[in-house]
Amino acid sequence: YKMTSLYKFSDPVSPHLAFKIEKNQKLDRQKLLHRVKFLENKFDIVLIEGAGGIGVPIYEYDNHFYMTKDLIKETSELIISVLPSKLGAISDAIVHQSYIDKEDLPPNLLIMNNYINDFIENDNKKTIEKETEKVVYTFQKDGIHSDFSEEFIQYLIGGNNE
C-alpha cells in the first residue's frame, strides 16, 4: 500500500495542468481525503506538502478550481509556512499571511528556511514578525531535524495554536 504520492505526473507543472496533460488521471477527492484519514490514524503528525505553495490550483472543474487552500480547509489544523530568508522574504511572508487570513484558514507557523542569521536575514525576520505580529522560527542552512528549536517542536506536538 503506497502511503505517499497518491498522484504522480511526468511533467513538472502545477497539479491542475498535470491532470489536464495526463487525461487518464482524475482527482478523486474522496480517495484523497481517505488517504489523509488513513495517515492520521497511523501517525502522530501528518505533513502535507503544498506543491508550489498555498495558492496553487490542484484540479480544474468546469466552473471552478479545487485549490491547495481547499485541501487545507478539509484536512488541516495547522499550517507550517516555510519562508525564504533572503531577498523577497518580507513580501512573500506578508502576501502569504494575508492570503491565509483572508481565506480564514487554520492557524499557521512561520519558519524561515536556510537561515544563517546574517544582517539581512535578521532584519527580514524582525520585519516579518513586526508586520505579521507572529513569531518567525528559523531553520539553519544545511540543518538536520535536531536543529529545530525546542519552542517550535513543542508548538507542533502541543498544539499551542496562536
Side-chain angles (χ1 to χ4, degrees):
Y1 187 80
K2 291 191 297 183
M3 295 220 291
T4 61
S5 302
L6 190 57
Y7 298 98
K8 291 184 180 184
F9 301 102
S10 300
D11 296 315
V13 297
S14 68
H16 84 287
L17 183 55
F19 275 114
K20 285 182 186 179
I21 293 169
E22 297 186 25
K23 297 185 185 310
N24 61 319
Q25 295 200 70
K26 300 283 184 229
L27 177 67
D28 182 337
R29 283 181 48 212
Q30 285 309 112
K31 184 176 180 181
L32 179 62
L33 297 175
H34 181 266
R35 174 64 57 86
V36 172
K37 282 290 179 210
F38 168 80
L39 294 171
E40 287 174 343
N41 289 331
K42 192 164 185 66
F43 299 101
D44 294 333
I45 296 174
V46 176
L47 296 175
I48 301 172
E49 181 183 4
I54 198 164
V56 171
I58 295 173
Y59 193 81
E60 185 175 3
Y61 294 100
D62 289 338
N63 59 352
H64 74 286
F65 288 99
Y66 181 72
M67 304 284 290
T68 300
K69 69 176 172 81
D70 300 315
L71 178 61
I72 289 169
K73 285 180 181 180
E74 291 182 325
T75 62
S76 302
E77 297 173 12
L78 178 69
I79 301 166
I80 301 173
S81 302
V82 180
L83 308 172
S85 56
K86 300 279 186 209
L87 188 63
I90 296 168
S91 179
D92 282 0
I94 291 169
V95 170
H96 180 83
Q97 191 63 51
S98 294
Y99 187 77
I100 287 174
D101 295 344
K102 174 187 167 283
E103 294 296 330
D104 197 29
L105 294 173
N108 69 308
L109 295 174
L110 300 176
I111 186 163
M112 278 188 153
N113 203 14
N114 294 316
Y115 192 77
I116 60 172
N117 198 24
D118 67 14
F119 176 73
I120 294 170
E121 290 179 345
N122 192 18
D123 185 73
N124 285 347
K125 180 181 182 297
K126 288 178 181 175
T127 302
I128 292 166
E129 287 179 332
K130 189 174 185 177
E131 183 61 27
T132 63
E133 299 178 347
K134 295 180 75 73
V135 172
V136 175
Y137 298 95
T138 60
F139 188 70
Q140 70 187 33
K141 184 174 178 145
D142 301 320
I144 58 173
H145 70 281
S146 60
D147 293 328
F148 282 109
S149 74
E150 185 62 28
E151 181 184 7
F152 180 79
I153 298 298
Q154 286 306 313
Y155 191 102
L156 284 180
I157 61 177
N160 302 323
N161 297 338
E162 295 177 356

